[in-house]
């Protein structure tokens, strides 16, 4: 795609991101340019996974990575694509000590005509810039970073798997890399992007349902916190709770918040409920975006699709356990599912809450809506038609 055409697409797709907190120098720093991108190809290419074997999520990486350094004195350096390799970090690296680290997750798909397609990457760039601002990490030009990522995928395009349900997972990372102790704004930073061919995130196929542990003892995020940013520090503390869920026979955690036990997220996914609400109207509801909820790309896509159909009410509204329990007792719940880049959509068939196993009739109801969303997303991601959500690589 010509640079001018890409520029027009980016201008339409990117959202304005307000400055936050950290002083003018964070936003006046030099921008790296995709036109300056250096490409050093590996002389020792790895063996690609066999199409006949299942891809384990996040275990296999491609031959190349994108790397850009930043310093407070000189701004951004020249971006480069280089052979995949380990990082060399100082033992006092601020990302290791104080979690000055953000990341993103998005996917590239190989369509039926063998073209590689990125799904709504503009939303990931918007979110990554917001996250960088929240941690006072250096900002960047979203369009230039996206073009560098596109070029990286172009170099490793033969790694994009072809089977439906597989994709190339794209992981951009930005870390504070200051080689000194002390909590403060990082004077050095490192941005890099790695790629890995992936299959299903959870064991089984895309429509294998999961069960959830809902325990109000554990809180993932809170009002005034950073739950709405994609920071590494939001994920590490969830591992213990995930282990507790598995000990009790559940696959994931339903995160509750507040004295009214609001439903917030499912593991690392946004949550949706498809039900007949108390007023008798059929609706799809998900919690609203605030400082608790991560603004998921798939979340937004499901809301956009559902609103375009105009077949039922679509709401972003607080949902409590009390409401869900009453709806289950009255037989008004049709489906509950999670959404996220890794899994796309994931049906829920049970919740363990206060020692009681709650049955969710998602699978008995098709799952009609969950399957429809999955089908619609795949048609866009793997299809051959142009779509406003797709960036061709």
């Amino acid at each position: 795609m010509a640079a001018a055409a890409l520029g027009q697409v980016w201008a339409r797709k990117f959202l304005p991101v307000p400055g936050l907190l950290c002083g003018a120098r964070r936003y006046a720093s030099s921008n790296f340019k995709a036109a300056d991108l250096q490409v050093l190809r590996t002389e020792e290419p790895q063996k690609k996974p066999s199409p006949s074997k299942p891809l384990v999520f996040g275990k296999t990486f491609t031959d190349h990575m994108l790397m850009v350094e930043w310093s407070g004195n000189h701004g951004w350096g020249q971006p480069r694509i280089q052979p995949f390799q380990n990082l060399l970090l100082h033992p006092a690296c601020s990302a290791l000590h104080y979690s000055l680290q953000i990341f993103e997750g998005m996917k590239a798909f190989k369509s039926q005509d063998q073209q590689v397609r990125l799904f709504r990457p503009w939303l990931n760039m918007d979110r990554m810039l917001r996250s960088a601002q929240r941690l006072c990490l250096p900002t960047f030009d979203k369009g230039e970073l996206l073009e560098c990522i596109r070029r990286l995928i172009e170099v490793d395009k033969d790694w994009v798997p072809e089977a439906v349900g597989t994709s190339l997972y794209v992981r951009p990372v930005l870390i504070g890399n200051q080689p000194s102790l002390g909590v403060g704004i990082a004077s050095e930073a490192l941005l890099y992007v790695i790629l890995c061919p992936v299959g299903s995130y959870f064991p089984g196929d895309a429509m294998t349902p999961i069960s959830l542990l809902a325990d109000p003892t554990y809180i993932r995020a809170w009002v005034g916190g950073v739950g709405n940013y994609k920071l590494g520090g939001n994920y590490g503390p969830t591992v213990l709770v995930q282990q507790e869920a598995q000990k009790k026979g559940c696959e994931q955690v339903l995160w509750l918040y507040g004295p009214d036990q609001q439903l917030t997220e499912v593991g690392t996914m946004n949550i949706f409920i498809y039900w007949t609400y108390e007023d008798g109207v059929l609706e799809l509801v998900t919690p609203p975006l605030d400082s608790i909820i991560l603004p998921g790309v798939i979340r937004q896509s499901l809301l956009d699709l559902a609103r375009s159909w105009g077949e039922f009410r679509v709401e972003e509204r607080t949902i409590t356990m009390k409401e869900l329990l009453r709806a289950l007792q009255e037989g008004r719940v049709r489906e509950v599912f999670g959404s996220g880049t890794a899994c796309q959509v994931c049906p829920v068939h049970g919740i363990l809450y206060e020692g009681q196993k709650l049955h969710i009739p998602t699978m008995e109801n098709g799952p009609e809506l969950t399957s429809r969303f999955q089908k619609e997303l795949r048609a866009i991601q793997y299809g051959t038609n142009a779509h406003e959500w797709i960036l061709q690589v």
Side-chain angles (χ1 to χ4, degrees):
M1 184 179 292
L6 273 176
Q8 292 175 1
V9 171
W10 292 334
R12 291 197 307 268
K13 297 295 182 180
F14 286 129
L15 300 173
V17 178
L20 297 173
L21 300 179
C22 301
R25 77 180 188 90
R26 293 283 125 171
Y27 311 109
S29 60
S30 66
N31 285 314
F32 56 87
K33 302 292 184 181
D36 299 328
L37 184 66
Q38 292 180 319
V39 179
L40 177 62
R41 292 180 179 268
T42 183
E43 295 180 356
E44 299 178 353
Q46 304 174 69
K47 183 179 179 181
K48 296 177 179 62
S50 170
S52 63
K53 295 183 179 180
L55 288 167
V56 179
F57 193 95
K59 299 293 186 180
T60 303
F61 298 92
T62 67
D63 286 325
H64 299 90
M65 63 193 299
L66 174 69
M67 188 89 75
V68 199
E69 287 98 359
W70 178 89
S71 73
N73 291 330
H74 302 101
W76 285 107
Q78 186 173 13
R80 64 185 184 275
I81 292 172
Q82 64 186 38
F84 186 91
Q85 58 194 262
N86 293 332
L87 302 178
L88 182 62
L89 299 177
H90 191 281
C93 169
S94 50
L96 301 178
H97 291 264
Y98 309 116
S99 197
L100 289 179
Q101 183 268 346
I102 68 170
F103 69 97
E104 267 302 324
M106 52 190 184
K107 285 182 174 180
F109 303 85
K110 185 166 285 187
S111 63
Q112 299 166 8
D113 58 2
Q114 299 300 296
Q115 297 298 310
V116 177
R117 299 153 66 93
L118 273 166
F119 182 76
R120 305 193 86 171
W122 307 277
L123 298 183
N124 295 95
M125 295 296 96
D126 290 333
R127 188 170 65 184
M128 187 171 182
L129 183 56
R130 289 195 300 270
S131 297
Q133 291 177 333
R134 182 60 180 84
L135 289 194
C136 295
L137 289 169
T139 58
F140 49 86
D141 185 289
K142 295 177 287 185
E144 299 294 341
L145 175 55
L146 180 53
E147 173 62 3
C148 288
I149 292 173
R150 190 193 68 80
R151 294 274 300 278
L152 174 64
I153 298 171
E154 192 174 47
V155 168
D156 277 346
K157 63 181 182 298
D158 290 341
W159 283 83
V160 184
E162 297 184 16
V164 174
T166 64
S167 59
L168 188 71
Y169 187 79
V170 182
R171 171 54 62 89
V173 181
L174 176 58
I175 66 173
N177 198 22
Q178 181 169 318
S180 64
L181 300 179
V183 180
I185 294 176
S187 61
E188 298 180 21
L190 175 64
L191 188 158
Y192 64 94
V193 182
I194 53 178
L195 312 173
C196 51
V198 299
S200 175
Y201 187 75
F202 296 115
D205 62 31
M207 284 295 107
T208 300
I210 61 171
S211 58
L212 311 174
L213 171 65
D215 187 341
T217 304
Y218 303 106
I219 300 172
R220 189 197 76 89
W222 49 91
V223 172
V226 292
N228 54 330
Y229 300 98
K230 205 162 181 66
L231 317 181
N234 284 338
Y235 292 79
T238 69
V239 174
L240 173 66
V241 193
Q242 174 67 28
Q243 291 291 98
E244 289 297 313
Q246 292 175 354
K247 288 178 184 178
K248 297 180 179 180
C250 300
E251 286 80 25
Q252 287 290 321
V253 178
L254 173 57
W255 298 102
L256 305 177
Y257 175 75
D260 55 350
Q261 297 185 1
Q262 300 170 25
L263 281 62
T264 62
E265 294 193 3
V266 177
T268 59
M269 300 179 285
N270 296 117
I271 186 171
F272 284 84
I273 299 178
Y274 184 47
W275 61 4
T276 301
Y277 191 53
E278 295 172 351
D279 59 3
V281 176
L282 182 64
E283 76 171 11
L284 177 68
V285 62
T286 191
L289 295 181
D290 51 25
S291 56
I292 298 176
I293 306 298
L294 184 73
V297 174
I298 301 299
R299 174 191 182 276
Q300 187 59 53
S301 301
L302 301 189
L303 290 171
D304 291 343
L305 285 171
R307 285 168 176 151
S308 72
W309 298 336
E311 299 173 11
F312 43 81
R313 187 167 66 194
V314 181
E315 290 286 342
E316 297 174 71
R317 186 183 66 241
T318 298
I319 317 160
T320 66
M321 275 303 297
K322 183 178 180 180
E323 286 182 290
L324 178 57
L325 289 171
R326 184 164 59 244
L328 286 171
Q329 292 169 356
E330 296 173 358
R332 293 187 282 107
V333 177
R334 296 194 179 191
E335 300 176 39
V336 176
F337 53 91
S339 72
T341 295
C343 69
Q344 304 290 285
V345 289
C346 180
V348 173
H349 71 122
I351 298 174
L352 179 60
Y353 174 68
E354 295 185 346
Q356 181 182 2
K357 294 182 178 180
L358 306 174
H359 176 68
I360 310 297
T362 303
M363 304 310 289
E364 289 90 330
N365 286 303
E368 179 185 356
L369 185 58
T370 310
S371 297
R372 183 179 179 185
F373 277 136
Q374 184 78 276
K375 183 178 178 180
E376 291 278 346
L377 289 174
R378 285 183 172 178
I380 296 169
Q381 293 162 344
Y382 296 97
T384 58
N385 295 331
H387 194 283
E388 64 176 345
W389 291 356
I390 292 296
L391 175 63
Q392 292 276 8
V393 173

